[in-house]
């Protein structure tokens, strides 16, 4: 039986003769190395999922409520992984990570820069008349539930201002309180009010800081001033 000629002879290499496809190739030798690779893999997955989620929301293929819940969870997971100093050192920063793994994710990049779901960043306006008519109403089960949201928002503002006064100036402390504040405010009213945008601006500033990084004293005074103005603006809207 004749065989087709070949232009050169093939000699198996030592590597090709010694690799057993049934044996798992270890990427890490220690538990710490495996945990690090797992975390970096999770971050990679979170970024890609967030990109797909943002596109789905813009195309109206993802419901607003589902988008908000999933986006908030992804952002929290992203921040949680980066609280580990070893993961942070290997990750470096988002731009470096994207370049290393060839990620083209502009929408996820913007969402991670802001650190809030789009629905929270720009809360939809509610009917002012509906709010005015129901502000003092009571239902069969008790006071208007909106009163609970008002109390929650006020408490968030006060907690934030107290934290600054007590020099609790780390991103780890202030960022969650600011997130709670804007979310609580948006549950009360979707209307814009004076200095509300300052809350978002400071969230972006904090979101770009390292987890262990603290605000400088000048920044802390500026944050306190801006948040007091925002709180005053919020109370003014409630009085209208």
């Amino acid at each position: 039986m004749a065989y087709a000629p070949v232009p050169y002879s093939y000699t198996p290499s030592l590597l090709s003769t010694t690799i057993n496809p049934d044996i798992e190739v270890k990427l890490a030798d220690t538990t710490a190395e495996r945990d690090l690779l797992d975390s970096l893999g999770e971050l990679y997955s979170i970024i890609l999922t967030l990109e797909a989620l943002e596109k789905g929301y813009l195309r109206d293929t993802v419901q607003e409520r589902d988008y908000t819940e999933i986006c908030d969870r992804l952002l929290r997971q992203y921040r949680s992984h980066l609280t580990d100093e070893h993961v942070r050192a290997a990750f470096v920063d988002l731009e470096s990570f994207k370049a290393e793994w060839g990620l083209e994710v502009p929408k996820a990049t913007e969402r991670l820069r802001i650190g809030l779901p789009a629905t929270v960043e720009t809360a939809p306006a509610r009917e002012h008349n509906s709010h005015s008519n129901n502000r003092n109403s009571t239902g069969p089960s008790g006071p208007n539930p909106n009163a609970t949201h008002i109390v929650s928002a006020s408490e968030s503002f006060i907690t934030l201002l107290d934290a600054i006064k007590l020099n609790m100036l780390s991103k780890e402390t202030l960022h969650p309180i600011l997130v709670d504040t804007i979310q609580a405010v948006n549950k009360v009213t979707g209307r814009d009010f004076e200095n509300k945008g300052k809350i978002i601006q400071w969230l972006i500033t904090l979101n770009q800081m390292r987890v262990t990084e603290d605000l400088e004293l000048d920044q802390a005074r500026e944050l306190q001033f801006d948040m007091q103005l925002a709180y005053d603006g919020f109370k003014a809207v409630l009085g209208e």
Side-chain angles (χ1 to χ4, degrees):
M1 182 176 180
Y3 290 91
V6 294
Y8 56 86
S9 61
Y10 169 69
T11 303
S13 69
L14 178 63
L15 180 63
S16 66
T17 59
T18 57
I19 291 179
N20 186 338
D22 295 324
I23 297 177
E24 181 182 1
V25 177
K26 290 185 178 182
L27 298 177
D29 296 323
T30 66
T31 301
E33 290 175 346
R34 285 195 297 272
D35 289 344
L36 175 61
L37 289 175
D38 285 345
S39 293
L40 293 175
E42 287 291 331
L43 286 166
Y44 183 93
S45 177
I46 288 169
I47 293 167
L48 287 181
T49 303
L50 191 55
E51 177 75 7
L53 180 66
E54 290 293 309
K55 289 179 178 178
Y57 177 64
L58 291 173
R59 294 170 183 164
D60 286 332
T61 58
V62 178
Q63 295 294 320
E64 184 175 303
R65 182 174 180 178
D66 293 337
Y67 164 81
T68 303
E69 179 182 342
I70 296 170
C71 186
D72 183 65
R73 182 167 67 248
L74 289 171
L75 292 172
R76 289 178 185 274
Q77 289 172 344
Y78 177 84
R79 289 192 292 267
S80 177
H81 280 295
L82 292 177
T83 57
D84 186 289
E85 62 178 337
H86 301 295
V87 175
R88 218 166 40 244
F91 184 80
V92 184
D93 56 47
L94 181 57
E95 292 304 319
S96 300
F97 189 78
K98 285 162 50 182
E100 182 178 357
W101 297 103
L103 290 172
E104 295 289 339
V105 285
K107 292 178 174 57
T109 300
E110 179 65 9
R111 189 54 48 211
L112 290 168
R113 182 185 74 85
I114 294 171
L116 287 171
T119 46
V120 177
E121 179 193 0
T122 55
R126 295 171 175 82
E127 291 295 331
H128 178 55
N129 289 339
S130 174
H131 171 71
S132 298
N133 291 337
N134 294 329
R135 183 167 49 193
N136 297 317
S137 64
T138 57
S141 59
N144 184 344
N146 196 48
T148 302
H149 297 320
I150 292 172
V151 171
S152 177
S154 297
E155 288 178 344
S156 294
F157 271 115
I158 293 169
T159 300
L160 176 60
L161 292 168
D162 285 345
I164 299 169
K165 291 175 184 176
L166 293 171
N167 288 323
M168 300 168 65
L169 305 179
S170 69
K171 171 185 176 176
E172 190 175 16
T173 298
L174 295 176
H175 190 276
I177 303 174
L178 265 175
V179 171
D180 290 343
T181 301
I182 191 63
Q183 289 179 336
V185 164
N186 287 338
K187 288 178 181 178
V188 176
T189 177
R191 296 173 58 201
D192 196 13
F193 55 81
E194 192 171 4
N195 292 296
K196 180 181 179 181
K198 294 287 188 181
I199 305 175
I200 302 297
Q201 291 174 13
W202 276 105
L203 272 169
I204 295 173
T205 297
L206 287 168
N207 198 52
Q208 294 174 334
M209 292 168 54
R210 296 188 300 274
V211 175
T212 56
E213 192 175 352
D214 287 5
L215 289 177
E216 299 290 341
L217 292 180
D218 288 346
Q219 288 179 302
R221 283 193 289 268
E222 187 178 352
L223 173 59
Q224 182 178 4
F225 180 74
D226 287 344
M227 292 306 98
Q228 185 61 60
L229 290 178
Y231 188 28
D232 293 340
F234 174 68
K235 289 185 290 186
V237 166
L238 297 179
E240 292 178 1

